Amino acid sequence: MTQDIEPPRPQVVLNTFDTQSQTPAQKWKPSSADMQHYYERLLPFRYIFQWLSHSPKATKDFTMREFAYEHRSGAYQRYNSYESQEDFKKSVVSANPTRFEVGAVYTVNPKERRNLPKNALKPISKELVFDIDLTDYDDIRTCCQGTDICMKCWKFIRVGSKIIESALKEDFGFKHLVWVFSGRRGAHCWISDARARNLDEGTRKAIVEYMDVLSSMQGKFKKLKKPYHPHVERSFNFLKEEFIDIVLQDQEPWLTSASTPSDAKAWTQIDELLSFIPEKSLQSELRNKWKDQKSLSTSKSKWEDINDVAKRVLKSQLQVTLLNEAKKDIIIYYMYPRLDVEVSRQVIHLLKSPFCIHPGTGNVCVPFDPTRNISNNPEDDDYGFNPTTSPNLKQIQDELESWERSKSKDSDEPQDESKRLADYDKTSLKPYVDHFAKFVNDLIKDELRAKREREDDSLDF
Amino acid sequence: MFRQVKRKTAGRRNFEDVSSSSSGDKKGGADLISQLNNIYQSRLTFYDIPPLEEITLEEFENWSIDRLKLLIEIESYGARSKSIKDIEVALRPLLLKYLPMNGNSSDGKINPTLYQERKKDHYSHFILRLVFCRSEELRKKFIKNEGILFRIRYNLLTPKEQEDFLMSNSHRLHWKFISQEEKLANFDQLYNASNLIIKNHLLQEGIGSEITNEQVKQHIKFKENFIKLPFEKVTNLINSRSIFLKGGYAYIPTSLQLNLIVTEFQDNLNTILLRTFQTLPRLEEDDRILPLLNNLGLNFSNIQYDTNNFGSDDTNDINAQSIQTPEILQHYPLCARILQKQLSFNSHLKYGGRQQLGLFLKGIGLNVDEALKFWSQQFLKKINQEKFNKEYKYNIRHNYGLEGARINYKPWDCATILAKAKPSKDEYHGCPYRDLSVNNLISNLNELGIEDQHQINEIMDDVDKRDYSIACTRVFELTHQKELKASSGAVAESMHINHPNLYFDRSRQLERSMEKKKEISV
């Protein structure tokens, strides 16, 4: 099996890869033929089609939907639309883009916009989407920078998705949401409830701002309103459990030693930390203590220092209360998800479709479950979705090949069973397709039920 | 409604016909009459159904004038930037005088007096829609002031009436009250999310100057009613995280409900006014209603400075030279005087001052060429023409709608001036009654010729009460005593100054009528 001799792919793929500094030979990038093969045989068009059509059949939600291609040449082609699942697949295969993106449903068929007056093309609906990207965590990440990720910093995404998901479900009452790995260093959340699809931009903006707790912390006082709003309180409860693990141990943002230069990132981060401390005397006391430290001083010890020094410095109960509140704010400041507001606000914003291949890494943009590991790899069961071992095009091509090789070896087996098996089911893509299929099925069931109810209602008249 | 009056003169009475022509409703007239009886059930209404009964021309005129007086008062209080609470207190006696609205008698019946009260309210509202639908500016004023009136009246309702009112309008409000159980089950979240707005509301209600968190909790537990409604309805409360959300519903404390209803009322009114405006041409058929409506419209614009008339031909003596002469300067209100003084003194004004004075001058009739001349003359003592052209010309032309978005900017009224940031060091825009130190203000008043200690004390009292435009009006009256006496009756006597250009115009108007009198007597 090729899996056994799997190259150390994740490490290679996930190393520095930004468009300026990369040396192309360094890593595997899917070729045009790889993509062609993937579109023809592996990409589960059926589920993407049903997901966007909200039905097993083609509806206006699908036929009036904009798709955009990013071509190998770098050209970006907007306003494609398709009549059916077959047309969808045929067009993508023949265009063979490096990736395709999903846009809004319009009043008219986007493909035909040239034959129509300019203002006829109006966006009507689109999934509500959220985008978290690890590059936005660069100021607090110490493990990686830029486009790199590792299992340490992915934990930020993990806890972030938990926060966003619980707010969307519990506060806004959405049910049908799916998380998709963006292929390199982030995740997208698609919310497909009819109510979410029909939100206007003002409401989308309000929802993102509701979620965007960090921007309420900007400004002079760097404080969140107390008592915390229920959403903030719930988020804090998620975060406090992981703070020691993710920030104090994994990231070590405040790690210093006597040789750490005073302009190092760690000191900037320490100043950042101190700026939260409400009492000026405590601030300077802590700063002096840490500056004078000769040995290695970890983030964990600094975090504990705050309480130790406070016991000496703070006089009143009120000061203690304020400090405790500030410490809660610090935890939120360091770990709360950083959101891309524009992606969520604009109805016409395009976003890479699930199951696309990230052109730079070859990773499949697989839908995943942020709460549990679905990869069938028991090593990740404690971790959850692991982006460093998630399916990669090269890997699944090899898997498909070896599956076929093993089939042809014992070709005396009955053929019809293998015929029925979809190609992606022969690879490690299977659990992710199943996860997505279940999501799509639940969505369609709900849509059909709502449609039936509407029809019943109209019959009453 | 107007057709109806016309028909009456033609001697034709046909309810069927009237109802279908005035509302486009296919239902019979009798149906609508019964609906009317229904809407008169409550003393507060969204004015959904147009009036259908006939009224006399006299009623038409008197009712609308009474309502207009009320709206004028509201506008005037609003311009003096009073809080809603203050307006409410001040307005209560006027409401009783012009548009009394008593609650239903204890048996719930609508007796003829009540019916008449509500009818007057109903008709006058619809008549004024015709008056105020004609321009964006009038519509805005009408919507704002009717909104305040609506809010005040809602507060006058008994809790039972409020609940009934909400119930009968539930179809448009999409909300439901939550049960005590649901409230207590979510008590902590409700408190954590909304304690601040509830607290602020209680403070505004004047329950005390200090409210402890414990008091807020007690209030939520025992007094506060919450409603829940789809979150899409209250996006402006979601983004600030000041309400509790659960399962797609937003939980709104009663103190915010009123805002929602008023917003709904105003949104609704806005759509309807636009629609009324579109059908207005049909009204031109009637030669008796139209002058009446025009007259009513004029009455209202009397209380506001009509910014559309600036630059008219009787102001052609305004140019870059004349506005530096005492003949013109004497008509300036104190704010403009101070700006001019500082401009001459420093040969410069900062942005806020340039805007305020520049637009004021535009308002008194200074055209763009003269404005460029004036400003460059003033600035040239400090900077050369090239620098002026580079740094200031664009801005002046912009104010005249010749650059950028090409908006024809209007002179600032007092409310705008008071809403802007206060002047900091070396800035001279704003309202002198608010922004000058006491000593500085008094010396400025002395320069205007107000030296009587008693008079100065009165002005200072207004200032202390933050009634800046009243102080300004008082100064106007004191500095124009002679003219006002001479022209008594010719100009509406105690008109409230809520716009610097109104001060200027009235001052010139008085001067002219004096001159005319002189000519006649000579």
Side-chain angles (χ1 to χ4, degrees):
Chain A
M1 290 281 284
T2 33
Q3 273 143 314
D4 299 334
I5 47 160
E6 193 186 323
R9 177 186 52 79
Q11 288 80 351
V12 176
V13 168
L14 294 163
N15 267 338
T16 17
F17 185 76
D18 74 62
T19 34
Q20 279 97 44
S21 67
Q22 57 152 336
T23 43
Q26 197 178 1
K27 73 178 48 182
W28 185 82
K29 265 172 94 180
S31 70
S32 159
D34 289 329
M35 291 310 299
Q36 187 89 24
H37 175 256
Y38 177 72
Y39 290 137
E40 271 170 10
R41 293 196 52 188
L42 285 160
L43 191 133
F45 280 99
R46 188 160 86 104
Y47 294 119
I48 295 177
F49 162 78
Q50 292 187 351
W51 166 50
L52 297 174
S53 194
H54 313 114
S55 157
K57 291 176 291 198
T59 64
K60 280 187 174 179
D61 286 354
F62 184 81
T63 58
M64 307 263 192
R65 168 89 67 166
E66 177 188 1
F67 292 83
Y69 296 144
E70 194 191 79
H71 290 290
R72 201 155 281 271
S73 63
Y76 195 69
Q77 184 190 354
R78 285 192 63 181
Y79 301 117
N80 304 288
S81 60
Y82 317 112
E83 294 307 318
S84 60
Q85 186 192 322
E86 291 69 36
D87 186 22
F88 177 31
K89 180 167 179 177
K90 214 177 79 203
S91 306
V92 173
V93 168
S94 77
N96 194 20
T98 50
R99 62 178 185 196
F100 59 93
E101 306 203 319
V102 178
V105 180
Y106 286 83
T107 40
V108 294
N109 201 324
K111 200 165 51 180
E112 283 157 18
R113 78 193 187 287
R114 287 214 182 81
N115 308 327
L116 296 159
K118 215 178 172 188
N119 53 4
L121 190 77
K122 283 200 190 96
I124 313 174
S125 68
K126 202 195 66 184
E127 286 72 15
L128 175 65
V129 287
F130 284 89
D131 181 7
I132 336 180
D133 195 309
L134 276 174
T135 29
D136 295 325
Y137 290 73
D138 275 355
D139 53 337
I140 52 165
R141 280 203 291 172
T142 58
C143 54
C144 314
Q145 283 298 300
T147 52
D148 295 348
I149 65 161
C150 66
M151 283 175 70
K152 279 184 184 172
C153 49
W154 185 262
K155 288 180 183 171
F156 282 115
I157 303 283
R158 206 178 61 191
V159 67
S161 58
K162 217 152 108 184
I163 286 174
I164 292 171
E165 179 158 337
S166 56
L168 289 169
K169 285 187 168 163
E170 292 168 28
D171 300 353
F172 294 97
F174 297 132
K175 271 162 59 187
H176 301 288
L177 48 94
V178 68
W179 288 90
V180 181
F181 176 42
S182 75
R184 184 182 271 167
R185 59 197 165 185
H188 302 152
C189 178
W190 295 80
I191 302 114
S192 281
D193 296 63
R195 190 173 173 190
R197 300 197 311 262
N198 292 318
L199 294 172
D200 62 26
E201 293 203 344
T203 316
R204 284 171 204 250
K205 183 160 174 267
I207 295 176
V208 201
E209 285 173 355
Y210 176 86
M211 302 272 196
D212 193 12
V213 170
L214 287 182
S215 64
S216 333
M217 277 183 141
Q218 276 151 13
K220 223 162 69 192
F221 299 107
K222 279 203 170 174
K223 263 165 83 173
L224 286 170
K225 200 175 72 191
K226 309 284 172 350
Y228 281 162
H229 182 276
H231 164 63
V232 182
E233 184 68 34
R234 179 185 51 213
S235 306
F236 172 74
N237 287 329
F238 287 138
L239 296 176
K240 72 172 180 211
E241 301 190 349
E242 314 236 19
F243 181 70
I244 294 178
D245 177 35
I246 300 182
V247 175
L248 297 186
Q249 285 168 7
D250 282 355
Q251 297 297 336
E252 276 277 24
W254 311 308
L255 180 74
T256 53
S257 67
S259 61
T260 309
S262 60
D263 59 345
K265 193 178 165 188
W267 283 112
T268 327
Q269 279 303 318
I270 289 170
D271 283 338
E272 187 85 55
L273 167 69
L274 286 171
S275 68
F276 282 93
I277 305 288
E279 203 62 37
K280 279 274 174 292
S281 56
L282 180 57
Q283 265 184 28
S284 53
E285 189 96 5
L286 283 167
R287 194 190 314 267
N288 293 338
K289 174 168 183 178
W290 295 339
K291 285 271 181 202
D292 294 343
Q293 260 159 349
K294 293 280 169 282
S295 57
L296 204 68
S297 152
T298 63
S299 303
K300 195 154 184 280
S301 72
K302 290 202 173 69
W303 183 247
E304 283 156 3
D305 282 345
I306 297 179
N307 273 0
D308 291 346
V309 179
K311 269 183 209 143
R312 255 191 307 117
V313 175
L314 298 188
K315 302 280 181 292
S316 72
Q317 187 53 43
L318 178 70
Q319 286 175 320
V320 174
T321 314
L322 285 176
L323 178 67
N324 283 332
E325 285 180 347
K327 286 177 75 180
K328 285 175 82 174
D329 283 354
I330 292 169
I331 291 178
I332 288 182
Y333 178 79
Y334 274 91
M335 293 170 74
Y336 192 88
R338 286 132 203 251
L339 300 168
D340 183 335
V341 176
E342 283 310 297
V343 177
S344 308
R345 184 182 64 82
Q346 289 183 335
V347 175
I348 60 162
H349 205 289
L350 291 131
L351 197 65
K352 192 163 43 166
S353 167
F355 293 110
C356 273
I357 303 294
H358 191 290
T361 61
N363 287 337
V364 186
C365 302
V366 284
F368 65 91
D369 187 335
T371 57
R372 65 195 176 93
N373 175 35
I374 57 172
S375 69
N376 296 331
N377 180 358
E379 276 174 33
D380 285 327
D381 281 354
D382 289 335
Y383 186 79
F385 175 71
N386 182 350
T388 64
T389 57
S390 79
N392 177 279
L393 181 53
K394 181 97 181 90
Q395 169 202 350
I396 57 173
Q397 277 174 351
D398 293 346
E399 285 166 2
L400 185 61
E401 219 172 279
S402 69
W403 189 90
E404 276 164 358
R405 227 179 298 127
S406 71
K407 272 293 151 203
S408 56
K409 253 183 253 161
D410 30 46
S411 53
D412 44 325
E413 269 184 34
Q415 279 291 311
D416 46 326
E417 200 190 338
S418 70
K419 262 183 200 161
R420 239 181 280 138
L421 204 57
D423 280 340
Y424 47 75
D425 283 344
K426 302 164 187 167
T427 70
S428 56
L429 211 50
K430 182 178 190 305
Y432 300 97
V433 176
D434 291 347
H435 175 66
F436 191 67
K438 181 172 182 314
F439 156 74
V440 173
N441 258 323
D442 291 348
L443 170 68
I444 291 178
K445 258 189 244 158
D446 247 25
E447 289 284 324
L448 291 179
R449 193 182 309 125
K451 204 175 151 209
R452 258 200 315 277
E453 276 163 18
R454 273 201 301 278
E455 275 158 9
D456 288 352
D457 278 354
S458 57
L459 284 177
D460 289 345
F461 280 101
Chain B
M1 182 177 50
F2 33 87
R3 300 203 145 207
Q4 195 178 330
V5 185
K6 193 181 179 188
R7 287 223 167 71
K8 188 179 161 199
T9 48
R12 268 187 287 140
R13 292 167 191 230
N14 189 333
F15 262 127
E16 287 281 331
D17 205 351
V18 170
S19 66
S20 56
S21 67
S22 61
S23 67
D25 202 329
K26 289 283 170 285
K27 282 178 191 164
D31 248 18
L32 277 164
I33 298 256
S34 78
Q35 277 187 35
L36 268 182
N37 279 328
N38 268 333
I39 64 158
Y40 288 164
Q41 279 301 321
S42 166
R43 50 176 165 151
L44 192 68
T45 157
F46 271 93
Y47 306 104
D48 289 325
I49 301 161
L52 294 168
E53 286 177 88
E54 299 191 5
I55 56 168
T56 65
L57 260 184
E58 203 184 340
E59 283 170 324
F60 186 98
E61 186 167 3
N62 289 342
W63 290 357
S64 47
I65 287 177
D66 280 352
R67 192 183 195 90
L68 190 60
K69 283 181 182 158
L70 211 53
L71 294 185
I72 287 174
E73 284 301 324
I74 296 175
E75 171 74 23
S76 158
Y77 283 116
R80 280 175 259 168
S81 51
K82 294 267 195 180
S83 73
I84 294 284
K85 197 83 202 161
D86 291 340
I87 300 181
E88 201 176 317
V89 173
L91 220 60
R92 229 167 255 184
L94 296 168
L95 267 172
L96 282 176
K97 188 172 162 201
Y98 295 122
L99 271 178
M101 291 285 258
N102 288 303
N104 296 0
S105 46
S106 49
D107 57 359
K109 290 249 168 63
I110 316 286
N111 62 39
T113 326
L114 290 180
Y115 187 84
Q116 202 60 21
E117 279 175 11
R118 286 167 200 191
K119 188 173 172 185
K120 178 178 175 185
D121 173 62
H122 186 208
Y123 281 68
S124 58
H125 172 85
F126 272 87
I127 296 167
L128 292 192
R129 278 188 186 178
L130 298 174
V131 178
F132 285 104
C133 67
R134 294 149 180 238
S135 75
E136 177 67 35
E137 205 165 340
L138 284 173
R139 280 195 294 271
K140 255 171 135 175
K141 293 247 182 216
F142 186 60
I143 291 166
K144 187 179 89 193
N145 295 320
E146 280 279 337
I148 297 174
L149 180 62
F150 184 89
R151 182 190 291 267
I152 291 170
R153 284 178 162 177
Y154 182 86
N155 283 334
L156 290 172
L157 298 181
T158 64
K160 172 83 174 72
E161 280 175 312
Q162 290 181 349
E163 201 168 317
D164 287 347
F165 177 77
L166 296 182
M167 285 295 279
S168 62
N169 286 291
S170 56
H171 60 283
R172 71 170 89 233
L173 299 170
H174 307 283
W175 60 28
K176 41 185 181 242
F177 283 92
I178 65 168
S179 65
Q180 185 72 8
E181 291 76 47
E182 191 174 357
K183 183 169 83 177
L184 293 179
N186 296 293
F187 181 80
D188 286 341
Q189 287 102 318
L190 289 170
Y191 171 80
N192 288 345
S194 303
N195 60 3
L196 265 185
I197 36 180
I198 292 173
K199 194 170 181 176
N200 285 338
H201 181 71
L202 292 176
L203 286 173
Q204 267 174 22
E205 294 278 287
I207 285 175
S209 55
E210 285 270 319
I211 294 173
T212 64
N213 291 339
E214 198 44 45
Q215 279 172 311
V216 176
K217 278 188 183 158
Q218 292 300 311
H219 174 83
I220 294 178
K221 202 167 268 172
F222 298 110
K223 292 207 184 116
E224 191 72 63
N225 273 324
F226 284 84
I227 47 167
K228 63 176 182 185
L229 75 172
F231 69 83
E232 289 94 336
K233 291 271 161 194
V234 287
T235 47
N236 58 333
L237 295 173
I238 291 176
N239 56 2
S240 54
R241 282 186 298 276
S242 42
I243 46 170
F244 174 52
L245 283 172
K246 190 180 176 186
Y249 285 99
Y251 288 70
I252 318 278
T254 354
S255 38
L256 287 180
Q257 276 165 223
L258 184 51
N259 288 341
L260 290 178
I261 310 168
V262 174
T263 313
E264 188 74 34
F265 175 81
Q266 290 178 322
D267 286 351
N268 190 31
L269 192 54
N270 189 32
T271 350
I272 286 171
L273 283 178
L274 282 171
R275 219 180 299 151
T276 312
F277 181 54
Q278 283 155 6
T279 53
L280 202 61
R282 283 208 254 158
L283 221 135
E284 321 265 293
E285 293 166 22
D286 197 299
D287 49 2
R288 295 164 313 146
I289 303 294
L290 203 60
L292 242 171
L293 293 179
N294 284 336
N295 215 8
L296 286 169
L298 277 180
N299 267 329
F300 193 77
S301 50
N302 263 349
I303 68 135
Q304 49 163 343
Y305 178 71
D306 188 355
T307 44
N308 289 318
N309 282 341
F310 56 78
S312 55
D313 38 17
D314 63 326
T315 52
N316 55 11
D317 58 334
I318 300 290
N319 56 46
Q321 295 308 321
S322 70
I323 57 169
Q324 298 179 57
T325 62
E327 285 77 53
I328 299 294
L329 283 173
Q330 62 166 332
H331 300 297
Y332 279 25
L334 191 54
C335 50
R337 242 173 230 263
I338 287 172
L339 282 165
Q340 177 61 53
K341 199 162 77 182
Q342 292 296 339
L343 174 62
S344 311
F345 184 72
N346 297 320
S347 298
H348 191 261
L349 272 181
K350 294 208 171 184
Y351 177 77
R354 292 201 305 274
Q355 288 296 102
Q356 187 173 332
L357 182 61
L359 288 170
F360 168 79
L361 293 174
K362 180 183 173 190
I364 67 171
L366 192 70
N367 66 35
V368 64
D369 294 329
E370 291 295 319
L372 285 170
K373 216 198 262 172
F374 168 75
W375 287 100
S376 62
Q377 275 172 12
Q378 298 284 336
F379 279 22
L380 281 183
K381 287 162 212 159
K382 264 198 180 157
I383 58 169
N384 61 26
Q385 186 73 39
E386 195 188 341
K387 189 159 188 238
F388 176 83
N389 285 349
K390 210 166 100 198
E391 288 180 15
Y392 301 102
K393 192 174 169 186
Y394 179 92
N395 201 222
I396 292 164
R397 287 174 50 81
H398 190 265
N399 279 348
Y400 280 82
L402 299 169
E403 301 283 359
R406 298 185 171 266
I407 296 165
N408 197 8
Y409 291 95
K410 289 172 177 170
W412 292 354
D413 61 7
C414 296
T416 311
I417 291 171
L418 289 169
K420 301 259 172 193
K422 287 185 184 182
S424 48
K425 194 172 172 292
D426 295 333
E427 287 188 318
Y428 302 99
H429 66 267
C431 173
Y433 300 99
R434 180 191 61 175
D435 299 327
L436 290 190
S437 68
V438 175
N439 288 337
N440 196 354
L441 180 58
I442 290 175
S443 74
N444 270 293
L445 292 174
N446 292 345
E447 278 176 39
L448 286 171
I450 302 172
E451 281 166 336
D452 183 277
Q453 193 53 48
H454 180 63
Q455 290 173 347
I456 287 182
N457 286 346
E458 276 185 342
I459 295 167
M460 287 316 194
D461 280 351
D462 293 335
V463 170
D464 281 345
K465 281 188 257 162
R466 300 184 183 173
D467 287 330
Y468 307 117
S469 58
I470 291 183
C472 188
T473 309
R474 200 184 290 281
V475 169
F476 181 89
E477 282 160 7
L478 290 171
T479 49
H480 295 76
Q481 272 167 324
K482 208 168 47 178
E483 292 91 338
L484 282 167
K485 212 178 262 172
S487 69
S488 58
V491 182
E493 63 278 5
S494 67
M495 198 162 47
H496 182 76
I497 305 275
N498 59 6
H499 199 303
N501 289 78
L502 182 65
Y503 186 106
F504 179 86
D505 288 357
R506 282 194 63 201
S507 179
R508 288 209 88 188
Q509 211 178 335
L510 282 170
E511 184 192 54
R512 285 207 183 114
S513 64
M514 287 277 282
E515 280 165 6
K516 260 188 206 154
K517 271 196 184 152
K518 266 187 211 152
E519 277 168 31
I520 292 165
S521 58
V522 167

